[in-house]
């Protein structure tokens, strides 16, 4: 004789907890605060990234041995090492910009700095891969 198998009753899912209005507000406030903090952290990370800007032309700066800019009225710089020498005049604050030499430089150059009386003040070698060069004279 066969016995009839009795089926077990199906499990009934528990009803979801109802969230009180006050708890819902606190939960929403916490989520909003968390999202705000994440946005601030992302903005802070973005600010830390540094965009590297290069000077587009070679710049030579003349300073005193103490590092202060020199008065270079009438001074000139002659850059050699490329196909032909390039001459440029200093501004009043010890800075000369060579308009035909792009950076980063591919080769090393030799710079001769002359004062207003055309006397050579100094001669230096500028290594390759430079945007600027500081001469202490």
């Amino acid at each position: 004789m066969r016995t009839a198998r009795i089926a077990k009753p199906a499990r009934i899912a528990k009803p979801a907890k109802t969230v009180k209005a006050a708890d819902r507000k606190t939960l929403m406030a916490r989520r909003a605060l968390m999202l705000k903090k994440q946005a601030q952290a992302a903005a802070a990370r973005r600010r830390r990234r540094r965009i590297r800007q290069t000077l587009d032309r070679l710049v030579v700066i003349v300073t005193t041995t103490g590092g202060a800019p020199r008065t270079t009225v009438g001074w000139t710089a002659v850059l050699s090492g490329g196909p032909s020498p390039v001459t440029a005049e200093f501004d009043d604050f010890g800075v000369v910009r060579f308009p035909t030499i792009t950076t980063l430089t591919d080769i090393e150059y030799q710079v001769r700095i002359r004062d207003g009386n055309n006397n050579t003040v100094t001669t230096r070698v500028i290594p390759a891969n430079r945007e600027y060069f500081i001469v202490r004279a």
Side-chain angles (χ1 to χ4, degrees):
M1 198 164 151
R2 289 185 165 188
T3 58
R5 193 177 236 189
I6 301 173
K8 292 183 179 178
R11 280 185 101 170
I12 301 173
K14 294 182 181 179
K17 284 187 175 180
T18 56
V19 181
K20 294 180 184 176
D23 291 338
R24 186 174 293 143
K25 285 183 181 178
T26 351
L27 184 61
M28 294 300 284
R30 283 184 188 166
R31 285 184 184 166
L33 183 62
M34 184 177 65
L35 289 173
K36 184 178 177 182
K37 284 183 179 179
Q38 287 175 349
Q40 287 175 346
R45 272 186 254 128
R46 271 187 244 123
R47 272 188 242 127
R48 283 188 212 134
R49 271 191 288 169
R50 186 173 170 202
I51 298 172
R52 182 161 186 239
Q53 295 179 335
T54 57
L55 299 170
D56 63 339
R57 301 290 182 229
L58 180 65
V59 173
V60 175
I61 303 168
V62 176
T63 64
T64 62
T65 53
R70 286 188 74 131
T71 305
T72 52
V73 177
W75 286 33
T76 57
V78 178
L79 195 67
S80 57
S84 61
V86 180
T87 303
E89 292 186 8
F90 280 91
D91 64 6
D92 296 340
F93 306 104
V95 179
V96 65
R97 180 177 178 266
F98 292 96
T100 58
I101 309 297
T102 58
T103 58
L104 297 166
T105 57
D106 296 329
I107 60 173
E108 70 176 28
Y109 291 97
Q110 181 179 18
V111 64
R112 283 188 310 273
I113 299 174
R114 296 189 172 129
D115 62 10
N117 298 327
N118 209 20
N119 298 324
T120 302
V121 176
T122 187
T123 302
R124 299 287 164 88
V125 174
I126 301 174
N129 296 321
R130 298 287 183 237
E131 298 174 40
Y132 64 91
F133 190 71
I134 298 175
V135 177
R136 290 188 169 91

